[in-house]
């Protein structure tokens, strides 16, 4: 069964009287070349555990099952569970869990499925919740080797932007603190059912063995990033005011110690500079 076929997708929808949910961002991929590229570029091998976020009717899942040792899919929409059980019934290395990924204990799932060479996370993420999902995986310390995900092109452009460039944001610094980022594919809106209003892209995030920058206190480091980019039009002297409980006078000394111009903006700072600022604040508390 060619699950990526528009005809097949529509037949399944009709047979199960399934109505797509706009609120869940349900769009099914119909391009086999892109599906194959995602699977190949994600590095999935026969003794890997794959966790898929939002399998839909199983378009990407089916190809992952052919390549992986085991695939566990997390699907929030209860209506899709019987569809997945039908479309993927031939596979005995598949499990679907009806749950909200943001409330799912991925560490427990991985612990219960030990013995695989690598853990790889894949998925076509709903646009409205892409950033919370990525940050949950990274901040929770989920023991995954890589995360290969499709997302809105605008979000992917920000994630892969060089830290310290005008396109950088809080998500840029946060992801690149934990991962190496590679773009896998550009995905035009025309290859989805239904067709979204915007194009997508696929990124592979390879999780680093240790963060890109060693910091004394991650909470202070990320507070600097969030406050800095949360008020990106302000100078860092103003936007970072209050980080770690210190005021402008003490903050000015932090910048002086690290030879950083307090009139710069957060988008111009490197990860190393954020780390120096955070470490100096941490050391002075």
């Amino acid at each position: 069964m060619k699950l990526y076929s528009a005809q097949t997708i529509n037949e399944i929808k009709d047979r199960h009287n399934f109505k797509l949910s706009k609120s869940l961002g349900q769009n099914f991929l119909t391009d086999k070349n892109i599906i194959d590229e995602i699977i190949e570029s994600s590095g999935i091998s026969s003794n890997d555990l794959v966790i898929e976020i939002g399998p839909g009717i199983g378009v990407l899942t089916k190809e992952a099952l052919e390549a992986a040792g085991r695939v566990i899919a997390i699907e929030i929409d209860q209506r899709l569970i019987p569809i997945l059980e039908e479309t993927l019934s031939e596979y005995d290395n598949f499990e679907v869990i009806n749950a909200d990924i943001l409330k799912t204990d991925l560490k427990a799932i991985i612990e219960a499925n030990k013995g695989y060479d690598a853990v790889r996370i894949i998925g076509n993420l709903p646009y409205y919740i892409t950033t919370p999902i990525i940050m949950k995986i990274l901040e929770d310390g989920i023991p995954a080797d890589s995360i290969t995900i499709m997302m809105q092109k605008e979000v992917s452009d920000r994630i892969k932007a060089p830290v310290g460039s005008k396109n950088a944001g809080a998500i840029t610094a946060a992801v690149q603190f934990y991962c190496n980022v590679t773009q896998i594919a550009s995905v035009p809106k025309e290859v989805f059912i239904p067709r979204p209003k915007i194009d997508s892209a696929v990124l592979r995030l390879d999780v680093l063995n240790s963060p890109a920058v060693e910091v004394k206190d991650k909470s202070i480091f990320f507070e600097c990033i969030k406050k800095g980019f949360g008020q990106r039009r302000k100078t860092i002297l103003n936007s970072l005011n209050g980080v770690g409980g210190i005021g402008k006078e003490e903050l000015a000394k932090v910048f002086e110690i690290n030879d950083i111009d307090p009139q710069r903006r957060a988008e111009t700072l490197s990860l190393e500079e954020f780390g120096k600022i955070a470490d100096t604040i941490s050391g002075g508390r």
Side-chain angles (χ1 to χ4, degrees), residues 61-80:
T61 323
K62 181 179 175 67
E63 305 307 320
L65 284 162
E66 294 286 348
R70 183 169 178 76
V71 177
I72 298 175
I74 314 296
E75 175 55 60
I76 192 172
D77 192 343
Q78 171 66 42
R79 302 173 303 153
L80 284 168

Side-chain angles (χ1 to χ4, degrees), residues 14 18 31 47 57 59 78 149 156 180 206 251 261 265:
D14 291 342
F18 181 80
D31 190 306
N47 198 37
I57 64 169
V59 173
Q78 171 66 42
I149 43 180
S156 75
N180 284 327
D206 288 295
L251 189 59
D261 183 353
R265 288 173 170 77

